[in-house]
């Protein structure tokens, strides 16, 4: 399976910058596929620019209700109407900076699946949790609370992003990431079946760059990467995608 390399642009890039990035990316793609999550305001422009290219556009978050009096929020059907095909759910910044609860993350995940937008469920431990040997417990709690009661996990992507590695330049070693991915796969098998768990792509995120990606992708349970900083520059993002 070709690795899935998702660009998470966070609060970066205007519509014009998005269009220019995608136009520059197209000739650099070769036969590879790109996955980009621009800010809400640039999704439509990104979808338009990505037409006739192997570029999938998604969103960075969504609300859990189909519609209603939720000032400032965006629903899954609005994203779908714009052409978004995947959505990040439970990103560490949403959990820890915007205080999204595990229950809310579960409801968002259910809504995304109902809407048929592929959820990319982000999980990961904080530094103090790793240092006190709680990583496996945190991963189990986050996966179980998000996925409990969901019978069909076929259209799911998981991103393991240790909080201490996000935006810090401190990447997990390939071995450390592989160990966490193996734990995630085992928990996913318990929540569904070994057959389904084997097919769920588990991406690594946290300070991925063109220098360290090859070692990560060489691990048996790492099927791609969720990339922030290094995805903002078209040359560095295309290098990540073209890493064999
Ligand atoms: P980073 O961000 O690559 O800048 O560490 C990753 C993420 O937040 O998904």
């Amino acid at each position: 399976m070709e690795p899935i390399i998702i660009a998470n642009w966070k609060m970066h890039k205007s519509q014009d910058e998005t269009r220019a990035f995608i136009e520059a990316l197209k000739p650099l793609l070769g036969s590879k596929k790109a996955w980009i999550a621009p800010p809400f305001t640039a999704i439509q422009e990104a979808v338009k620019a990505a037409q006739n290219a192997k570029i999938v556009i998604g969103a960075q978050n969504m609300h859990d209700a189909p519609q209603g009096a939720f000032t400032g929020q965006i629903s899954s059907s609005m994203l779908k109407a714009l052409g978004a095909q995947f959505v990040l759910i439970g990103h560490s910044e949403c959990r820890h900076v915007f205080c999204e609860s595990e229950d809310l993350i579960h409801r968002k995940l259910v809504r995304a699946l109902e809407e048929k937008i592929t959820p990319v469920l982000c999980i990961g431990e904080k530094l103090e949790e790793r240092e006190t040997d709680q990583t496996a417990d945190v991963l189990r709690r986050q996966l179980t609370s998000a996925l409990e009661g969901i019978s069909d996990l076929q259209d799911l992507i998981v991103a393991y992003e240790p909080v201490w590695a996000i935006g810090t330049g401190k990447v997990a070693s390939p071995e450390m990431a592989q160990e966490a991915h193996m734990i995630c796969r085992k928990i996913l098998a318990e929540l569904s079946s070994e057959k389904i768990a084997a097919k769920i792509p588990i991406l690594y995120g946290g300070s991925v760059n063109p220098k360290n990606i090859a070692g990560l992708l060489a691990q048996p349970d790492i099927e791609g990467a969720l990339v922030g900083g290094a995805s903002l520059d078209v040359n560095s993002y295309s290098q990540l995608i073209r890493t064999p």
Side-chain angles (χ1 to χ4, degrees):
M1 188 173 60
E2 181 182 324
I4 298 173
I5 313 295
I6 302 182
N8 172 15
W9 283 353
K10 310 192 180 186
M11 202 167 70
H12 295 283
K13 294 199 192 291
S14 65
Q15 287 168 284
D16 287 349
E17 288 164 342
T18 297
R19 193 182 330 107
F21 182 105
I22 291 177
E23 289 308 332
L25 177 65
K26 283 182 188 170
L28 303 176
L29 270 180
S31 59
K32 301 294 180 79
K33 190 166 168 180
W35 299 62
I36 303 175
F40 291 132
T41 45
I43 291 177
Q44 191 165 26
E45 195 64 38
V47 170
K48 219 162 69 185
Q51 262 172 17
N52 304 321
K54 281 172 69 178
I55 303 175
V56 186
I57 305 300
Q60 299 171 20
N61 203 355
M62 54 173 255
H63 195 268
D64 64 306
Q67 60 191 30
F70 301 108
T71 301
Q73 300 298 305
I74 308 277
S75 74
S76 54
S77 60
M78 291 169 182
L79 297 177
K80 191 86 182 279
L82 290 179
Q85 296 181 52
F86 69 92
V87 60
L88 308 185
I89 291 184
H91 188 276
S92 145
E93 284 144 22
C94 301
R95 288 179 194 262
H96 305 300
V97 184
F98 304 124
C99 303
E100 289 194 9
S101 69
E102 290 184 358
D103 183 45
L104 176 62
I105 289 162
H106 168 72
R107 295 200 306 272
K108 289 185 180 200
L109 205 114
V110 171
R111 183 89 274 279
L113 289 171
E114 278 168 7
E115 194 69 53
K116 300 206 178 334
I117 294 188
T118 302
V120 180
L121 172 63
C122 306
I123 56 171
E125 81 287 359
K126 295 188 204 164
L127 183 60
E128 62 266 29
E129 291 165 335
R130 174 156 288 269
E131 285 174 348
T132 50
D133 219 8
Q134 294 179 70
T135 300
D137 293 342
V138 171
L139 298 178
R140 176 173 294 279
R141 194 190 68 232
Q142 291 180 340
L143 281 171
T144 309
S145 66
L147 301 174
E148 194 122 62
I150 299 174
S151 53
D152 189 358
L153 296 186
Q154 307 220 34
D155 191 25
L156 171 73
I157 297 175
V158 170
Y160 166 64
E161 296 200 296
V163 179
W164 48 268
I166 297 178
T168 58
K170 280 191 219 153
V171 65
S173 69
E175 296 71 27
M176 203 187 258
Q178 164 59 21
E179 194 192 349
H181 281 229
M182 221 170 60
I183 293 170
C184 293
R185 184 103 49 212
K186 189 169 155 272
I187 300 165
L188 289 168
E190 288 167 23
L191 292 169
S192 56
S193 68
E194 285 204 6
K195 198 165 154 219
I196 290 174
K199 287 197 188 137
I200 297 175
I202 308 180
L203 320 182
Y204 168 81
S207 297
V208 173
N209 63 37
K211 289 205 179 89
N212 58 33
I213 193 168
L216 292 159
L217 294 182
Q219 301 301 313
D221 285 292
I222 302 185
E223 279 95 20
L226 177 54
V227 190
S231 75
L232 292 171
D233 173 80
V234 73
N235 291 313
S236 118
Y237 179 57
S238 66
Q239 252 179 287
L240 295 171
I241 295 184
R242 288 190 318 240
T243 302

